[in-house]
Structures are given as structure tokens and as C-alpha cells.
Amino acid sequence: MFRELLEKISPYGFYTFSSYVIPWALLISFFLISYSFYNGLFVAPSDYQQGDAYRIMYVHVPSAWLSLFSYTVLFFCAVVSIIWRIKVFEILVVSSAKIGAFFTLLTLITGSIWGKPMWGTWWVWDARLTSELILFFIYISIIILNYSFDDYRKGARAASILAIIGFINIPIIHFSVDWWNTLHQGPSVMKFGTPSISTEMLIPLIYSAIGFTFYFIGAILLSARNMILIRERNKSWVKKI
């Protein structure tokens, strides 16, 4: 049943679905991120240890979450494309890699900006930072491998195999602060017990994470839709658009 459901997802059906979802996803994203940034930057109090430097977490934390979530989506799409060779999921593999690479790079940049005043340096070879950097290189490798073949379906298959192998880095990133002695602080929100962050700081962060997630949905659908139009440009339904 699951296989039959996935096989019904045609390029035209995906184009129609994504064209409806994209505007709403980006609109919701805009309002949620705007609301969270206003409250996070101007309403939430300063941290008693970090001062105002902590406010970069309203970009850093959602970006870090989406750098991992993007790869989870990528991994699922890669498995489906390898097993059932469904064209839409082959395209979603590289689309997820592109968006995931963006959020991973944003995570590394904002983390370095925060690290300078907190640690006194832009970069340390910390377990969490190093594994996140490896994730960025994996994303870039998937994208390059996908476009290294004249036959894009062969490229998609090769990229999917690499994506499945690279998934081993995701639990390493997530548990790195628990497995090794690391400078990176432990979880403040997603942990057992109550979050070690005040409500005034937590609520804007939650809105920011949700807003970034809606942006991710809109961005990945937009990227995949554009790729479908390029690859299906000789099909009659594309010529009618």
C-alpha cells in the first residue's frame, strides 16, 4: 500500500501540489520569523551570562535543527528512489541537499559569530562543530555527484547511495556533546525535564524554529518544482504551462 501510494506521485501531480503549498508555506514563514525576531531581539531580556550575544540563537538553533532535519528528509527520499526509482524522489534528494547545505553553512557561520565573544575564537575543532562541517561537505558532495553524470537518473542514483552512507554522521552530530568532552553547550530546550531557558527567551525561539521549518518546506518544494520543469520540459503538460 505504501509503495502504491508513493508511485502515484507523478511529476505533474507534484508540480500542482507544490504550486499550491509554496505560497502559503513562505507566507506563514515570513510572519512567524518576523514575530520571533521582533520578540527575540527587542522584547526578550538579556542573558545574565552571555548578555545580548545569545540572541543569535534565534537564527543558529533553527538552522542547526534544519541542517539535521534536511538530511533526514534527504535520507528518506534516497531510500525511496533507490528501491522504487520514483522520479520525484530522485529530484527531492538533490533539492534537500541544496537546502540542507544552506542551513548547515548558516549554522557554521552563526556558530562562529557566537563563538568569538564566548570562546575568544571564531573556530575550534570541537566534536559538534567538526561533525557539522563534515555534514556540509557531505551535502556538497551529494550535489556535485548528482550533476556529474550526463544521465541525470544515474546521477540521482549515485547521489542517493552517497546520501544513505552519509547518514551515519547524523547521530554523531546529535550525540557529540554527550559522547565527547566538548566546548559546545548541551541541549537547553530538547531535554528531559524542564528547559533551562526562560519563557521569555523560549517562546520566540519556538516561533523561529517553526517559521524556519515552513521556509524549509517552501524552499525545498520550490527547488524541486523548478528541477521538474527543467527535466520534463519536453513533456506536453509542461509545454501547456
Side-chain angles (χ1 to χ4, degrees):
M1 180 179 178
F2 181 68
R3 176 182 177 179
E4 293 176 353
L5 177 63
L6 294 179
E7 288 179 340
K8 289 181 180 179
I9 304 177
S10 65
Y12 175 71
F14 180 85
Y15 174 86
T16 304
F17 169 78
S18 60
S19 297
Y20 176 79
V21 174
I22 289 169
W24 286 105
L26 295 180
L27 183 64
I28 294 172
S29 170
F30 172 77
F31 283 110
L32 289 178
I33 292 176
S34 299
Y35 175 81
S36 68
F37 280 8
Y38 172 77
N39 284 273
L41 296 177
F42 302 108
V43 177
S46 298
D47 184 74
Y48 75 99
Q49 287 182 322
Q50 302 180 34
D52 288 324
Y54 87 93
R55 298 184 193 276
I56 201 168
M57 76 173 182
Y58 295 109
V59 176
H60 177 73
V61 173
S63 298
W65 136 251
L66 285 171
S67 72
L68 302 182
F69 181 70
S70 296
Y71 205 97
T72 304
V73 172
L74 186 154
F75 176 77
F76 171 78
C77 294
V79 171
V80 172
S81 67
I82 286 291
I83 297 175
W84 293 304
R85 303 296 301 274
I86 300 175
K87 187 179 295 184
V88 169
F89 286 89
E90 293 176 349
I91 292 173
L92 283 171
V93 167
V94 68
S95 295
S96 300
K98 292 176 180 178
I99 307 304
F102 166 75
F103 279 114
T104 305
L105 180 61
L106 188 59
T107 301
L108 293 170
I109 292 173
T110 54
S112 296
I113 294 173
W114 177 86
K116 179 61 177 176
M118 295 298 107
W119 299 337
T121 181
W122 296 102
W123 181 265
V124 291
W125 291 103
D126 176 86
R128 172 64 65 83
L129 274 66
T130 304
S131 54
E132 189 77 12
L133 179 63
I134 292 173
L135 177 63
F136 177 72
F137 289 137
I138 293 174
Y139 275 130
I140 297 301
S141 299
I142 291 170
I143 297 169
I144 293 174
L145 187 59
N146 179 81
Y147 290 107
S148 297
F149 293 79
D150 293 331
D151 185 343
Y152 71 84
R153 300 209 72 176
K154 290 183 179 179
R157 186 170 183 82
S160 296
I161 293 173
L162 177 58
I164 292 172
I165 296 172
F167 185 75
I168 192 174
N169 190 45
I170 300 303
I172 293 175
I173 296 174
H174 181 72
F175 293 107
S176 59
V177 294
D178 300 318
W179 291 346
W180 293 288
N181 184 18
T182 171
L183 285 174
H184 197 285
Q185 69 183 63
S188 300
V189 180
M190 300 297 294
K191 68 174 189 175
F192 294 108
T194 58
S196 55
I197 180 174
S198 70
T199 304
E200 294 88 348
M201 300 176 183
L202 177 61
I203 292 178
L205 181 59
I206 293 174
Y207 276 105
S208 180
I210 297 173
F212 270 65
T213 302
F214 272 99
Y215 174 80
F216 166 78
I217 294 171
I220 192 174
L221 292 179
L222 182 60
S223 175
R225 188 184 70 171
N226 291 341
M227 291 179 65
I228 285 176
L229 289 176
I230 294 172
R231 295 184 179 183
E232 302 287 301
R233 60 184 176 275
N234 295 323
K235 298 294 180 66
S236 58
W237 69 268
V238 177
K239 294 179 180 179
K240 291 179 181 179
I241 298 176

